[in-house]
């Protein structure tokens, strides 16, 4: 039995639940619960505040947890990062009033910085040999400069719209973050086996997200050129079409080469290109 801690509510809750679902693990939604049990996998799920998850994992109250790297590094507990999960992406940045003069990091010398991330902020300032006053506040950090509480903030940013609407500009990025799976360091043999089972599924889900299934029609005289552009998992599937001189080609393309390849395939004579999401992918 493995005990997993996920965020009870907030930005990581839904994606964490979705990941479990995509891994074929059935759990009831725990909106009002502290704990639930998967019906088809040896997993207990605890619903907690994200800030508490590293501590619970360090203590072994939970064996594994899903939490932002920002929280993992800020809390600095004795846990290991097992896997990056690709959601909850954001960055931890320093921002100052839009009108403030800012040439480089030394503009922060002697200034007051409001943050919920005192450890990471201090570490960053020390590394850059800047001494500033850190004011730890737990929420609504972005309003601190506007109400005269601080000169700058260090906070999480994703689109930047919150900074913009509070008259702030981003000047330094301390950390790029995403949700990760963390774990403690002493798994029993059976826990390790369960974790590996879970990771096998997580990898299949992640891989599928990064790939698309592509079907297209190709004139036979262009077939070799078109196949050359499509690696597929082993090699592309080629089937004759009912229409003489044409074939149907099926393959897998990764997200990052996708648009470039599609344009080249079209230019090479491919027609009727269909692109389909893949649910799971096991190599
Ligand atoms: P809790 O009640 O669990 O303590 P919280 O208010 O601390 O919740 P959320 O705002 O739900 O936390 O954010 C949880 C995590 O989502 C963050 O720690 C971070 O990893 C990630 N995240 C992604 N984008 C953003 C963003 N724009 N602002 C804040 N967090 C973000
Ligand atoms: Zn939190």
């Amino acid at each position: 039995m493995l005990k997993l801690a996920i965020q009870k509510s907030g930005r990581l809750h839904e994606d964490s639940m979705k990941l479990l679902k995509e891994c074929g693990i059935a759990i009831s939604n725990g909106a009002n619960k502290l704990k639930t049990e998967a019906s088809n996998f040896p997993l207990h799920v605890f619903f907690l505040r994200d800030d508490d998850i590293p501590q619970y994992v360090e203590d072994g109250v939970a064996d594994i947890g899903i939490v932002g790297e920002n929280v993992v590094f800020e809390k600095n507990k004795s846990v290991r990062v097992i896997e990056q999960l690709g959601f909850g992406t954001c960055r931890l940045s320093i921002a100052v009033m839009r009108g403030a003069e800012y040439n480089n990091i030394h503009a922060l010398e002697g200034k007051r910085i409001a943050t919920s991330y005192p450890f990471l902020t201090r570490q960053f300032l020390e590394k850059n040999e800047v001494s500033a006053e850190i004011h730890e506040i737990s929420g609504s950090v972005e309003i601190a400069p506007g109400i005269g509480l601080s000169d700058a903030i260090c906070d999480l940013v994703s689109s930047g719209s919150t900074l913009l609407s509070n008259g702030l500009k981003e000047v330094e990025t301390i950390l790029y973050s995403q949700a990760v799976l963390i774990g403690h360091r002493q798994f029993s043999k059976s826990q390790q086996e369960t974790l590996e089972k879970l990771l096998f599924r997580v990898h299949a889900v992640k891989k599928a997200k990064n790939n698309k299934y592509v079907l297209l029609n190709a004139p036979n005289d262009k077939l070799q050129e078109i196949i050359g552009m499509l690696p597929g998992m082993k090699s592309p599937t080629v089937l004759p079409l009912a229409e003489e001189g044409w074939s149907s080609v099926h393959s897998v393309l990764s997200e990052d080469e996708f648009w470039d390849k599609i344009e080249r395939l079209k230019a090479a004579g491919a027609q009727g290109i269909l692109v389909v999401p893949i649910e799971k992918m096991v190599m």
Side-chain angles (χ1 to χ4, degrees):
M1 184 61 64
L2 211 54
K3 292 170 287 180
L4 165 72
I6 67 171
Q7 195 186 23
K8 183 175 170 60
S9 64
R11 291 172 198 262
L12 300 181
H13 174 78
E14 261 174 43
D15 282 333
S16 304
M17 295 291 282
K18 190 163 138 247
L19 177 66
L20 293 176
K21 192 167 171 229
E22 287 169 337
C23 288
I25 297 171
I27 55 169
S28 53
N29 196 325
N32 300 308
K33 281 201 234 159
L34 172 66
K35 191 181 137 181
T36 186
E37 202 172 320
S39 57
N40 57 357
F41 199 84
L43 192 75
H44 281 168
V45 182
F46 292 90
F47 301 99
L48 301 167
R49 281 200 59 201
D50 66 342
D51 312 61
D52 298 334
I53 291 177
Q55 182 74 62
Y56 279 115
V57 170
E58 183 185 88
D59 295 344
V61 175
D63 302 303
I64 53 176
I66 296 176
V67 68
E69 286 171 307
N70 53 306
V71 172
V72 179
F73 298 139
E74 174 66 26
K75 300 296 177 189
N76 200 23
K77 300 290 176 195
S78 173
V79 295
R80 65 190 170 100
V81 172
I82 299 170
E83 181 81 23
Q84 294 189 315
L85 299 174
F87 59 83
T89 52
C90 58
R91 54 194 189 274
L92 182 64
S93 290
I94 295 180
V96 299
M97 296 293 274
R98 206 176 306 144
E101 199 174 316
Y102 192 95
N103 295 321
N104 58 47
I105 190 163
H106 295 285
L108 296 171
E109 188 67 42
K111 295 288 197 302
R112 297 162 304 164
I113 306 175
T115 186
S116 308
Y117 294 85
F119 178 78
L120 291 174
T121 306
R122 187 165 292 118
Q123 200 181 49
F124 178 77
L125 293 172
E126 276 171 12
K127 197 179 79 199
N128 289 283
E129 299 179 340
V130 170
S131 66
E133 221 178 282
I134 294 172
H135 287 252
E136 183 176 353
I137 53 178
S138 59
S140 305
V141 171
E142 67 282 357
I143 65 166
I147 60 173
L149 192 70
S150 72
D151 307 297
I153 63 166
C154 180
D155 202 10
L156 295 177
V157 184
S158 43
S159 68
S161 60
T162 306
L163 293 184
L164 199 67
S165 62
N166 283 282
L168 300 166
K169 62 176 176 188
E170 192 175 352
V171 291
E172 305 283 347
T173 299
I174 293 188
L175 175 83
Y176 287 90
S177 177
Q178 60 177 289
V180 287
L181 186 71
I182 58 168
H184 61 60
R185 294 168 194 280
Q186 302 113 346
F187 289 115
S188 68
K189 191 160 174 285
S190 85
Q191 284 178 328
Q192 186 64 37
E193 279 166 14
T194 305
L195 177 63
E196 268 154 33
K197 247 191 194 165
L198 177 64
L199 285 175
F200 178 80
R201 297 187 186 190
V202 170
H203 292 156
V205 170
K206 269 174 72 179
K207 194 124 190 96
K209 283 213 177 98
N210 291 330
N211 286 279
K212 300 269 183 269
Y213 194 72
V214 180
L215 305 92
L216 57 84
N217 295 332
N220 286 347
D221 56 344
K222 295 286 174 56
L223 207 49
Q224 284 317 314
E225 188 184 344
I226 287 172
I227 288 173
M229 296 177 193
L230 293 168
M233 287 223 265
K234 266 206 160 63
S235 71
T237 308
V238 180
L239 302 162
L241 284 189
E243 189 181 327
E244 192 73 30
W246 284 79
S247 297
S248 169
V249 180
H250 301 195
S251 188
V252 172
L253 273 186
S254 81
E255 192 78 88
D256 28 303
E257 57 179 2
F258 177 75
W259 287 110
D260 179 47
K261 282 268 171 87
I262 291 293
E263 276 170 23
R264 289 172 50 212
L265 288 166
K266 225 166 156 286
Q271 293 183 7
I273 304 175
L274 292 183
V275 180
V276 206
I278 301 171
E279 198 175 307
K280 310 277 189 303
M281 197 163 150
V282 179
M283 302 301 276

